[in-house]
Amino acid sequence: MSDGSIAAAVSLKEATSTGGVAARLSQRRLPTEEAPWVRRLLIGLAVGFLGLFLLLPLITVFMEAFRKGGGAFLAAFADPAAIDAILLTLMVAAIAVPANLVFGISAAWAIAKFDFRGKAFLVTLIDLPFSVSPVVAGLVYVLLYASHGLLGGLVQSAGIQVIFALPGIIMATIFVTFPFIARELIPLMEELGDTDEEAALTLGASGWRMFWTVTLPNVKWALLYGVLLCNARAMGEFGAVSVVSGHIRGYTNTMPLHIEILYNEYQFVAAFAVASLLAALALVTLGVKSWLEHRYAGDLAAGHRH
């Protein structure tokens, strides 16, 4: 056999082999490609689960709130205790969220922009409220600031009432909500790096000017996203606040605690009416959150890379 015949045979064999591999690859199903009945089954299970455990309870809350008509619904909010609970909830959120905003930005800036000893430990501490029960967090504050607690005598001698008062509720709420803003900002700041800040400093910008004109605009949507989550959790917190509040009607009851008291007193319409207001606030938060995810998906996706 001549050299030309051998080369032609080798070329034919390679072409045949390549074509066979290509054919096998084209026939192989990708891992994300499933049979139509499998896709329909999975989608049905997901929708059914959400309908059973999320949508149905939510619909029930609003149905029970209006079960005796609009008059009974509005009467639930004419109760001075309900008004006090709503105002207290808004006040606690108005204090806790800005406090977490300052902490979240500061912690994210320190962790993302600097290397220091104990950095990993600080990140672990930020995640602590995610793994600690809110009830345990409330008990910790009772052990610290109750009359016979570690710091109770000191704060009471200064004329400050922490447990069974507004300061304790605020402190417990801040504890359970402070990871939300920091955890939204830290990954995004780490991904963005220091290039823009270094360029601003090179051009003569001061530290504050660099922060307001460079750093903050780069993370503004992730920051707003974290604020929304923090606010929703602050208004709906029950466990930690329940421990430190003392359940004093008209004084230390937030909306979740007021709902529990009404339900235990068999005032079901009033309980579900206040619950519907809390659910409506949560739905508004969810709507804004979904709009942010749709409108600024790229920025938020970067912020969720851990």
Side-chain angles (χ1 to χ4, degrees):
M1 182 180 295
S2 65
D3 293 341
S5 300
I6 294 175
V10 170
S11 300
L12 179 61
K13 183 177 181 180
E14 290 177 350
T16 304
S17 176
T18 303
V21 171
R24 288 194 297 272
L25 289 175
S26 64
Q27 294 175 358
R28 182 180 299 174
R29 190 173 62 193
L30 296 176
T32 55
E33 291 182 354
E34 298 291 348
W37 70 270
V38 175
R39 293 199 300 270
R40 286 193 291 267
L41 176 62
L42 293 176
I43 294 173
L45 287 174
V47 173
F49 188 88
L50 289 175
L52 183 62
F53 293 100
L54 180 63
L55 294 179
L56 185 59
L58 188 62
I59 293 172
T60 302
V61 167
F62 286 96
M63 289 179 60
E64 289 295 321
F66 289 95
R67 182 163 55 89
K68 293 186 177 180
F73 175 84
L74 294 176
F77 299 101
D79 182 6
I83 297 174
D84 290 334
I86 294 171
L87 294 177
L88 179 61
T89 301
L90 296 177
M91 182 186 302
V92 171
I95 297 173
V97 174
N100 283 323
L101 178 64
V102 174
F103 168 79
I105 294 175
S106 302
W109 181 275
I111 292 170
K113 305 299 181 181
F114 303 103
D115 290 323
F116 53 91
R117 183 175 298 178
K119 181 176 177 178
F121 182 65
L122 177 58
V123 175
T124 302
L125 287 180
I126 291 174
D127 291 335
L128 186 63
F130 287 143
S131 57
V132 174
S133 169
V135 174
V136 174
L139 287 174
V140 169
Y141 282 105
V142 171
L143 292 175
L144 285 175
Y145 296 105
S147 57
H148 298 291
L150 185 62
L151 302 175
L154 181 63
V155 296
Q156 287 188 4
S157 64
I160 302 174
Q161 179 72 26
V162 176
I163 302 303
F164 307 148
L166 179 61
I169 297 174
I170 293 173
M171 292 170 69
T173 303
I174 289 175
F175 177 86
V176 298
T177 57
F178 77 78
F180 288 96
I181 296 177
R183 279 324 248 149
E184 290 298 322
L185 294 180
I186 291 171
L188 180 57
M189 283 188 175
E190 288 179 337
E191 174 134 352
L192 292 174
D194 302 329
T195 305
D196 292 344
E197 284 83 0
E198 290 174 354
L201 292 175
T202 302
L203 294 173
S206 63
W208 278 110
R209 183 175 178 82
M210 175 197 67
F211 174 77
W212 288 107
T213 60
V214 177
T215 303
L216 198 58
N218 285 341
V219 300
K220 59 183 178 181
W221 298 116
L223 179 62
L224 181 57
Y225 187 84
V227 167
L228 288 172
L229 295 178
C230 180
N231 183 69
R233 179 63 187 275
M235 290 192 298
E237 175 54 32
F238 177 83
V241 172
S242 177
V243 174
V244 302
S245 71
H247 294 77
I248 305 173
R249 189 191 294 265
Y251 181 59
T252 62
N253 274 345
T254 58
M255 277 199 288
L257 301 183
H258 184 64
I259 292 168
E260 181 196 29
I261 289 178
L262 291 175
Y263 189 83
N264 290 337
E265 293 177 347
Y266 302 102
Q267 300 183 49
F268 299 124
V269 172
F272 281 105
V274 180
S276 68
L277 175 60
L278 200 58
L281 293 173
L283 289 174
V284 170
T285 302
L286 180 63
V288 177
K289 171 179 171 290
S290 300
W291 177 79
L292 284 175
E293 289 178 337
H294 174 73
R295 180 66 177 82
Y296 302 99
D299 293 339
L300 295 175
H304 281 84
R305 295 193 190 105
H306 294 280

